Amino acid sequence: MASDGARKQFWKRSNSKVPGSIQHVYGAQHPPFDPLLHGTLLKSTPKVPTTPVKAKRVSTFQEFESNTSDAWDAGEDDDELLAMATESLNSEVVMETAHRVLRNHSQRQSQPSQKTTEPEPEPQPIAEPPVAPSGDLRLVKSVSESHTPCPSESTGDTVPLQRSQSLPHSATVTLSGTSDPHALADSALSKRETSRLDKFKQLLAGPNTDLEELRKLSWSGIPKPVRPMTWKLLSGYLPANVDRRPATLQRKQKEYFAFIEHYYSSRNDEVHQDTYRQIHIDIPRMSPEALILQPKVTEIFERILFIWAIRHPASGYVQGINDLVTPFFVVFICEYTDREDVDKVDVSSVPAEVLRNIEADTYWCMSKLLDGIQDNYTFAQPGIQMKVKMLEELVSRIDERVHRHLDGHEVRYLQFAFRWMNNLLMRELPLRCTIRLWDTYQSEPEGFSHFHLYVCAAFLVRWRREILEERDFQELLLFLQNLPTARWDDQDVSLLLAEAYRLKFAFADAPNHYKK
């Protein structure tokens, strides 16, 4: 087994961006041409005179070998080499040009207009293509690393460079009638969201919804207007055939309220009173309080949890199951409210019949979820014990330093990750983020049982800097049990999911890779 020093040197070498480092090249026989390495070739190779018959080059490799230390095949014509050079970005040229653009623009802005008493602001350039300085014949891509200054920025401040695709000025003016980059971004985002929503509606309106296509489309998030129907389909509650859905809904809702009539009156019986009492205690502790503490919502949650516990005696009611009701209930009730803040939905404005149907739909969708993870809640919760152990092994492989830091301060994974598995991260994330997370969970095969493991691993490593800074058991555990995610949004969840998918791709089909 390689030493820690050797392992660090390997990763440092393979992850570095300097010329000559080991890089994976996908979809190419040879490494990409780099003018920083091969600039001498462009300068020293003589130009072949144009003749009617192309002369055969017999010493290409020898010329190449004499000008570079690499041994890659460079048997192309000069024109092809120049074309390849345009595909590489010379950082020195780009940085020099970008600074020139910024200086020129700052000077233009600092000059007051002499034509009018109220000068109009000069339009800001968007990503001007860089021009190589005089005397430098190297070519540069038409992707600039320029920065558009904001009005509040001072010209003397250090301006970070941002990579952006250069656009013709004529096209820039016509986009949404404005040159404001924020307005352009919002407009593009709105168009993209509208396009995605149209794809969902088209897919859901068909006579038989393609569930595989629906999963692919839902992985990166589901638009709010179609989320209730999409969740019902992906959870397996409703059939793919559109004509069968109304009858299925009516039958399942009728079946649920038959359970209520048959079982709910026994909640105060001696055999069931402990279960009901625990449910009654746990619900007020749930979040968001503004929603849960509404009397109608409390009653709905009590009925759902009690009926599920009675009908699943192998596990019965276990703390943690109560949290799994909330996302379904909020998603389904938001179909009938206009509030954007899902934490503060007021159910008093929702008709009683609609609330009854939402209650039944929530029960059945939650039941479908729990069918796949019921071993998490049986006696001694073996499913959670196993998943926490797998998480520990996985983290030890993907970030050994974090793993050793936790172990060195005697922090056990069960002390913080048990809740991650028991509540599916609902106590660690805001409700809006949980709903976005569940969009992907329902799109993934075994999302709640299997993919969740990789999400937890990515979630832990996400805080590696903060974890490594803590040098005390109590502070470490306190941090891990109170992670600062209150301001997280969909973008944070999307990044977390992308990293989890990468881990799954690396480890899911090779479980021995995360076993020492």
Side-chain angles (χ1 to χ4, degrees), residues 35 100 126 144 155 214 347 361 461 476 478 484 493 495 512:
R100 288 176 55 198
I126 297 182
S144 66
T155 58
L214 185 62
V347 303
D361 296 342
V461 176
L476 259 175
L478 189 64
V493 177
L495 292 172
N512 288 333

Side-chain angles (χ1 to χ4, degrees), residues 448-504:
F448 292 98
S449 60
H450 186 62
F451 187 61
H452 180 67
L453 168 68
Y454 299 98
V455 172
C456 289
F459 189 59
L460 179 61
V461 176
R462 160 67 177 77
W463 310 102
R464 86 181 302 272
R465 180 177 62 83
E466 293 85 351
I467 290 171
L468 294 176
E469 287 176 353
E470 298 291 349
R471 300 291 179 179
D472 177 74
F473 167 82
Q474 184 175 350
E475 294 298 325
L476 259 175
L477 197 57
L478 189 64
F479 174 76
L480 289 169
Q481 292 179 345
N482 298 275
L483 293 167
T485 60
R487 296 183 181 275
W488 271 35
D489 55 19
D490 285 1
Q491 184 178 3
D492 295 292
V493 177
S494 296
L495 292 172
L496 178 69
L497 289 166
E499 177 62 15
Y501 185 83
R502 187 187 70 82
L503 294 177
K504 178 191 173 188

Side-chain angles (χ1 to χ4, degrees), residues 200 204 209-211 214-215 218 222-242 244-253 325 327-336 353-369 435 438-439 441-443 448:
F200 271 95
L204 295 173
T209 302
D210 186 340
L211 294 181
L214 185 62
R215 288 189 182 95
S218 302
I222 304 172
K224 183 180 176 181
V226 295
R227 184 176 276 135
M229 179 57 67
T230 304
W231 276 27
K232 291 172 186 177
L233 288 168
L234 294 180
S235 66
Y237 172 43
L238 289 184
N241 185 279
V242 68
R244 293 175 51 204
R245 291 173 195 167
T248 301
L249 276 173
Q250 186 178 5
R251 176 173 55 82
K252 299 300 284 186
Q253 290 166 358
V325 181
F328 290 112
F329 181 79
V330 169
V331 166
F332 296 156
I333 203 168
C334 281
E335 189 176 7
Y336 302 94
E353 186 62 29
V354 172
L355 269 181
R356 281 173 55 87
N357 295 339
I358 290 173
E359 179 180 344
D361 296 342
T362 301
Y363 169 82
W364 287 114
C365 288
M366 186 199 73
S367 296
K368 291 288 186 180
L369 186 162
I435 290 173
W438 284 24
D439 286 346
Y441 278 4
Q442 297 196 82
S443 307
F448 292 98

Side-chain angles (χ1 to χ4, degrees), residues 26-196:
Y26 298 100
Q29 280 186 315
H30 307 292
F33 186 86
D34 190 345
L36 293 177
L37 286 176
H38 307 106
T40 55
L41 175 63
L42 295 179
K43 295 178 181 178
S44 61
T45 304
K47 188 73 176 179
V48 180
T50 304
T51 59
V53 179
K54 185 177 180 180
K56 183 178 180 182
R57 302 184 62 180
V58 296
S59 60
T60 303
F61 182 79
Q62 288 78 4
E63 293 176 4
F64 182 83
E65 188 177 27
S66 66
N67 286 283
T68 182
S69 59
D70 286 334
W72 305 117
D73 181 11
E76 292 91 354
D77 294 334
D78 289 343
D79 292 339
E80 293 175 342
L81 291 174
L82 290 173
M84 293 176 67
T86 63
E87 296 302 317
S88 298
L89 191 62
N90 188 305
S91 59
E92 295 180 1
V93 176
V94 172
M95 293 289 287
E96 172 66 23
T97 305
H99 283 301
R100 288 176 55 198
V101 171
L102 293 174
R103 287 196 299 270
N104 294 338
H105 178 64
S106 299
Q107 292 172 1
R108 288 198 302 269
Q109 280 194 325
S110 63
Q111 295 175 357
S113 176
Q114 303 295 332
K115 296 182 180 179
T116 60
T117 56
E118 295 181 6
E120 295 181 358
E122 187 176 12
Q124 299 176 357
I126 297 182
E128 292 187 24
V131 180
S134 59
D136 194 337
L137 301 180
R138 291 173 293 186
L139 298 179
V140 184
K141 287 180 69 174
S142 62
V143 178
S144 66
E145 294 184 357
S146 61
H147 172 69
T148 304
C150 297
S152 61
E153 292 179 349
S154 62
T155 58
D157 294 339
T158 303
V159 183
L161 298 180
Q162 297 178 348
R163 185 185 298 266
S164 59
Q165 184 69 35
S166 61
L167 294 173
H169 290 286
S170 59
T172 303
V173 175
T174 57
L175 286 175
S176 302
T178 178
S179 61
D180 183 3
H182 296 291
L184 295 178
D186 292 341
S187 175
L189 184 62
S190 178
K191 289 180 180 179
R192 185 175 62 194
E193 291 175 347
T194 302
S195 176
R196 292 193 76 244

